[in-house]
Structures are given as structure tokens and as C-alpha cells.
Amino acid sequence: MTIKDFLNKFASMHLWGNLLAMLLMIVLIAVAIKIGTDLYTRHGKVVIVPDVEHKQYAEAARLAEEAGIKIEVTDTGYVKSMPPDCILSQSLQPGSEVKPGRVLHVTVNASAPKTIPLPDLIDNCSYREAEAKLKSMGFKVGNPQFVPGERDWLYGIRTQGRSLHNGERVSVEDMIILQVGSGSRDPNEKIEVEESEFIYKYDNGQQQRSSSSSSSSSSSSEGQQEVEVDPFEVVTGPEGN
């Protein structure tokens, strides 16, 4: 192919027509993407977030719908002075501008305090471990109550004058009292000690061992200590002249 033939092909209308068609297609695709993005993101359109705190959930949902946003309950709390189903907090700042369709997350007041099951702590850990665990779970822990037992060992948990057990559900509003060992023994506790009492007797030149419960028990008292008899017989020498 000569240079003249190449220049003739390059200057043909068919080639330029194809190039123009491709350029036009690219421009149309770009415009379509821009328009679609604006429609999807609602470019230039904003709504004002309503103030729904301390309002009943039904009223808060109505205000959110009128503003063009969605409302969703993500958590519950408990405030004794507030009525049930009251909005305690909202995720979006009241009065702020957001896109239509934005989700407003709210926390609703429960009808009763939140309850949590007690972990396996009683007679299974020290006072410090139990206190740290319960506080991390949201419980209120008061001053410990000391009971006879191993020092700083957890023997029980009480609230509102009653004893609790592991796994029992307890309100996070109740004060928890931990029963902790004081390091002293209960004076009423009985200590049983097994003792074997034996006495020794000398019979026919042989030392024999017998229980205090034998026939000699009539002469031995309870708690008799061990008695040992010297097995050697005193022998007197011949009289002197």
C-alpha cells in the first residue's frame, strides 16, 4: 500500500462516520449515567429532620413520614419518669438537612427495666472478678456483705432482700450486693475429727496392743490419751551379807 492509498482511506467519509458515531455514543452514555445518578441520589433535594425526642412512637413515625424520611427502632432503654414507647434519643440531629429517604434510628423507652441473666459467678470466683464482670454488663454493684468463709471469695449474690442464683434474670436497675468471705470461720460450724485411741498392756512378758473399746474401756474415759506401760520388770538383787 502506497502513502497515497493510505491517505485516501484515512480521508474517507466511511471512517469519519464511524468515529463520529462512536463519539456520539460515548457522550450519550455519559449523559445517561449523570442523569441516573442524580435521580438515584436525588441531587439538590434535601429534607429537614424533625425533632421526635420525648414523643410517642406513633407521632414520631408520622412526623418522619411527612418529612420524607424513614424511622427505625434500633434499641430500647428504660427511664422510669418517661412513658412507654416514648422516643428517648434519635440518630439524626433535629433540624439538619438530609437526603429524602434517609433512615432515622431511634431508641424507645421500654415498659419495664431491662433484665440480664446472672453469669456463673456464685462460689466460682473472687469478689474483684465478680464485681468487674457485673459492672461491665451494666449492673449496679453496692458495698459487699461479709460472711464467714475464705477471704475475698464470692459465696452469694443478693438484691432487694433475697438471694439470687446463677442464670437468674435480674433488672439492671436493682442494686446488687455481693456476699464475700471475711476470712474467719463460723463459730457454730462443727469440726469432726476422727481419733483412734489405743492402750497398751503387758501380758506374759509380751507387749500387746488393744483398742480402748475392749474390756478395759470401763476404766477409760472418753477422749482418753494413749497410755504406755513400761514392759521391764524391776528385779531386786541378792541381799548383802
Side-chain angles (χ1 to χ4, degrees), residues 110-171:
S111 58
K114 182 180 180 181
T115 60
I116 303 177
L118 282 177
D120 187 11
L121 298 176
I122 300 175
D123 202 21
N124 197 34
C125 66
S126 66
Y127 164 65
R128 298 301 178 189
E129 293 173 331
E131 182 185 34
K133 179 67 174 179
L134 291 172
K135 285 185 176 180
S136 67
M137 296 176 65
F139 286 107
K140 299 178 181 179
V141 182
N143 295 328
Q145 176 186 358
F146 292 98
V147 296
E150 184 180 346
R151 186 176 183 84
D152 291 336
W153 188 252
L154 182 65
Y155 286 96
I157 301 178
R158 295 178 62 85
T159 184
Q160 297 183 347
R162 64 186 183 88
S163 297
L164 305 175
H165 56 79
N166 293 331
E168 182 175 352
R169 300 192 70 90
V170 183
S171 170

Side-chain angles (χ1 to χ4, degrees), residues 21-39:
M22 293 174 60
L23 180 60
L24 182 61
M25 184 62 67
I26 293 173
V27 172
L28 291 176
I29 292 175
V31 171
I33 292 176
K34 178 66 169 59
I35 295 174
T37 303
D38 291 342
L39 291 175

